[in-house]
Amino acid sequence: MGEARHILGVVFDAVGTLLLLREPVGETYARLGAAHGVGLPASRIDEAFRRVLAAAPPNTHPGVSLEVAAERERSWWRDRVRETFRAADGMAQFEDFDGFFGRLWSYYAEASAWRLAKGARACLDALAARGLRLGVLSNFDQRLRSLLAALGLAERFDVVTLPADAGAAKPARAIFEHCLARIGLAAPRVLYVGDRATLDVAAAQQAGLHALDVGTLADLSALPAAIDCIEQELTRA
């Protein structure tokens, strides 16, 4: 499509789109919790985690340095983990909660806890070959940058935008605008790819970007062809 190309950049959500957990959250919490004196079923923890996360305030800390934001992000997660176990069983007592949480925090910063979504590397190769600018926009905390590096992905992206950078989190328009400013493209020239209807697709569209639910693809290797279809529709519009 050369000069006629409409989409000049593609920005990805992280968890659920590019990255997938190797085991469910409830299983990890239960396994590490058992090593610190708390034995609860993974299914109960998982259900509690989902409820707690859905009700939690955004993990955003505007107006502070990245270093201070990182400390507050960690504290935010400590509170959510504590709430999860209280919601799963109000009588649960850890031998050393801080020791447990420290191990949990480190676990999710390790590449071994994650796997790439099917077709991710082929997708990124194909998009880079087209000369598209690539980015990540996620509500993950600042561990994501080192995690992407550990997975061999950091150099693939022109920008990685996190709440600590923008002082805002999805679905707020501000985080999308921050990403666009850094990637140097207008919203109508960018496609956002995510896995959640409201937090990703609808939020990106409201910010003026094109948006695609990754669940509509067989896997990420199908994204370049999907972009071709979007551009054909734009040409006809």
Side-chain angles (χ1 to χ4, degrees):
M1 294 183 183
E3 295 298 324
R5 191 174 293 282
H6 292 274
I7 303 298
L8 300 180
V10 180
V11 177
F12 296 85
D13 175 43
V15 179
T17 302
L18 276 177
L19 308 180
L20 304 175
L21 286 168
R22 290 193 179 275
E23 66 178 359
V25 167
E27 291 185 16
T28 301
Y29 279 39
R31 176 168 52 81
L32 297 181
H36 287 79
V38 173
L40 291 175
S43 59
R44 190 190 303 177
I45 297 172
D46 197 68
E47 189 276 334
F49 174 79
R50 295 179 189 279
R51 284 190 286 115
V52 165
L53 211 60
N59 192 1
T60 54
H61 312 282
V64 301
S65 67
L66 292 178
E67 292 76 12
V68 172
E71 294 173 1
R72 294 182 181 179
E73 287 170 346
R74 190 180 191 279
S75 294
W76 185 96
W77 271 113
R78 185 186 184 280
D79 290 344
R80 303 292 83 76
V81 172
R82 174 70 87 178
E83 289 170 7
T84 293
F85 278 91
R86 286 175 175 165
D89 183 348
M91 301 300 290
Q93 294 291 328
F94 279 89
E95 296 170 354
D96 176 9
F97 178 78
D98 285 334
F100 160 72
F101 176 71
R103 179 65 192 97
L104 192 68
W105 177 261
S106 297
Y107 173 81
Y108 285 116
E110 298 166 0
S112 58
W114 304 87
R115 61 183 175 87
L116 293 183
K118 185 178 179 182
R121 292 194 190 278
C123 170
L124 296 174
D125 287 342
L127 298 181
R130 295 184 178 195
L132 300 184
R133 299 182 193 175
L134 303 179
V136 173
L137 187 163
S138 171
N139 281 356
F140 209 119
D141 54 71
Q142 293 180 69
R143 289 174 294 177
L144 183 61
R145 287 194 170 90
S146 60
L147 181 58
L148 290 173
L151 291 166
L153 294 182
E155 295 183 356
R156 301 272 194 153
F157 300 108
D158 297 287
V159 299
V160 175
T161 301
L162 304 173
D165 305 313
K170 294 180 297 182
R173 187 186 187 98
I175 193 169
F176 290 96
E177 292 178 341
H178 187 92
C179 180
L180 292 170
R182 293 185 61 205
I183 206 169
L185 294 171
R189 295 291 193 173
V190 177
L191 172 68
Y192 187 70
V193 183
D195 65 303
R196 288 163 291 186
T198 301
L199 205 60
D200 293 328
V201 176
Q205 290 172 335
Q206 289 168 6
L209 291 78
H210 301 283
L212 185 146
D213 186 334
V214 72
T216 64
L217 304 174
D219 63 56
L220 278 174
S221 66
L223 180 59
I227 292 174
D228 290 341
C229 292
I230 292 171
E231 293 200 316
Q232 290 171 8
E233 293 176 3
L234 292 172
T235 300
R236 290 193 295 266

